[in-house]
Amino acid sequence: MARLNKLLVASLAFIPASVTAWGTLAHKTIAAVAINYLLPDAQSAVNDVLANDPDSRHFRNPTLIDVAPWADSYRSRKDGRFSAGFHYIDARDDPENGQCGVELRRDCPRAGCVVSAIANYTTRLTEQLDAYETAQALKFLVHFVGDVTQPLHNEESHKGGNGVPVEWNGHRDNLHSIWDTDMVEELAGKDNVENLNAWTQKIVGEINNGIYASSLSSWVSCADVHGIQNCALQWSQDANAKLCAFVMNPVPGPDDDLETYYEGAAPIIQEQVAKGGVRLAALLNNIYTGQTGFPASSEAVFRIQEQ
């Protein structure tokens, strides 16, 4: 069993909800899972970067959890519009007919995509930049490693599911939106500290001793800083494969009962969030210490987040 230890962090109330990517709770949970596997020197480096971030001064001792959803709000700012296309990659495949795959040259435009963005901001974190640019690179990286695990962020068909109307709990929505937020909330609850802690503890337990333990080594097998574009492409291909396995094969109809669909989606959602957390930890560990920190020699200490 994972042991419990308290880690004080800044209030999470300042973070706006996202409606365009993994919902806020999923992004925070990916960050919270990652914190449980950061090596001490990597954690210290992350703390220093965020403490010196001019944009994070409204937080007390900002953490990865606090800044995880930042890129979604930043993209709507005039100075952040350039980053809108970095949250996804439009795979031109055919999941409805069982043909899935992501090809970087075909699917990633010259302006960039989530795969190239992960590579770019990983490289920037290794460079000598000022405090603002270094923090921006870290915040982008935390967010995009999360985004690439959301299957519909790796698909062009039906506008990544945004063009698939569905009915969820009595209201009209679209497939992408319910994957981002509605089904996450059905699985783990609304975005608050209690639900963040509970879901993080559950995922860390499954990684350490549960259903994910046997998959951990494969999940973090690629986290090479110098080959990060290839690693990010592998992560994208992994998420994209879920489209053929379940997400869009078949595509649910606007009048379909989604109760059965949710039963198939929920395990995928949690597994993808778990992958995002350990991959983020492995990558940050590698950036700051030269080693991934996996396989861990002992269990992670689950850290409770407090307001």
Side-chain angles (χ1 to χ4, degrees):
M1 296 292 292
R3 299 182 299 277
L4 301 182
N5 188 27
K6 292 185 178 181
L7 174 68
L8 296 178
V9 299
S11 170
L12 306 178
F14 294 98
I15 302 177
S18 164
V19 294
T20 54
W22 270 136
T24 304
L25 179 60
H27 274 294
K28 290 178 184 176
T29 304
I30 288 168
V33 170
I35 287 172
N36 279 274
Y37 297 98
L38 287 181
L39 297 172
D41 286 348
Q43 182 67 74
S44 178
V46 165
N47 291 345
D48 288 344
V49 169
L50 295 180
N52 290 294
D53 176 21
D55 275 357
S56 297
R57 288 174 180 166
H58 56 286
F59 292 113
R60 184 181 71 252
N61 301 322
T63 72
L64 293 179
I65 298 166
D66 297 309
V67 302
W70 168 84
D72 278 331
S73 58
Y74 180 69
R75 68 188 292 184
S76 65
R77 288 168 32 178
K78 184 176 180 180
D79 60 334
R81 291 174 187 166
F82 74 92
S83 67
F86 297 169
H87 294 251
Y88 57 87
I89 183 169
D90 281 336
R92 296 174 175 86
D93 54 3
D94 188 11
E96 293 172 76
N97 290 303
Q99 298 176 11
C100 283
V102 182
E103 299 177 16
L104 195 62
R105 182 172 296 182
R106 179 192 69 187
D107 302 328
C108 187
R110 294 183 66 180
C113 64
V114 69
V115 172
S116 63
I118 289 171
N120 176 49
Y121 290 110
T122 296
T123 299
R124 287 180 67 78
L125 272 183
T126 68
E127 297 172 344
Q128 296 297 318
L129 305 174
D130 63 31
Y132 174 81
E133 291 182 325
T134 300
Q136 186 183 70
L138 177 59
K139 291 185 292 187
F140 271 136
L141 192 60
V142 172
H143 191 89
F144 296 150
V145 171
D147 275 348
V148 79
T149 66
Q150 210 276 46
L152 288 166
H153 278 247
N154 301 273
E155 184 54 49
E156 181 189 51
S157 180
H158 298 283
K159 298 180 180 179
N162 285 292
V164 178
V166 297
E167 182 170 315
W168 177 263
N169 287 343
H171 72 273
R172 290 288 178 176
D173 213 325
N174 67 71
L175 186 64
H176 191 115
S177 178
I178 67 169
W179 271 86
D180 280 344
T181 303
D182 296 295
M183 292 196 296
V184 172
E185 291 182 351
E186 186 74 15
L187 174 63
K190 296 289 186 179
D191 173 31
N192 59 48
V193 174
E194 291 75 22
N195 290 333
L196 170 64
N197 283 328
W199 200 20
T200 302
Q201 183 176 22
K202 181 177 181 180
I203 290 172
V204 169
E206 296 291 4
I207 292 168
N208 289 342
N209 300 303
I211 58 175
Y212 305 145
S214 62
S215 302
L216 177 59
S217 61
S218 65
W219 289 356
V220 298
S221 62
C222 194
D224 179 15
V225 173
H226 301 293
I228 188 57
Q229 183 164 276
N230 179 60
C231 294
L233 179 60
Q234 289 183 33
W235 301 342
S236 175
Q237 291 167 337
D238 174 69
N240 171 269
K242 303 296 185 184
L243 299 163
C244 282
F246 177 80
V247 179
M248 298 186 80
N249 190 15
V251 173
D255 298 316
D256 287 357
D257 179 0
L258 293 186
E259 182 175 345
T260 300
Y261 183 84
Y262 168 76
E263 291 175 359
I268 297 173
I269 291 169
Q270 181 166 291
E271 181 179 283
Q272 293 303 106
V273 168
K275 288 176 183 176
V278 295
R279 287 169 177 165
L280 177 59
L283 181 55
L284 291 176
N285 285 337
N286 221 345
I287 290 170
Y288 291 117
T289 74
Q291 54 185 319
T292 67
F294 294 96
S297 59
S298 61
E299 294 181 354
V301 176
F302 172 67
R303 300 179 172 106
I304 295 176
Q305 313 307 321
E306 294 186 346
Q307 288 185 315

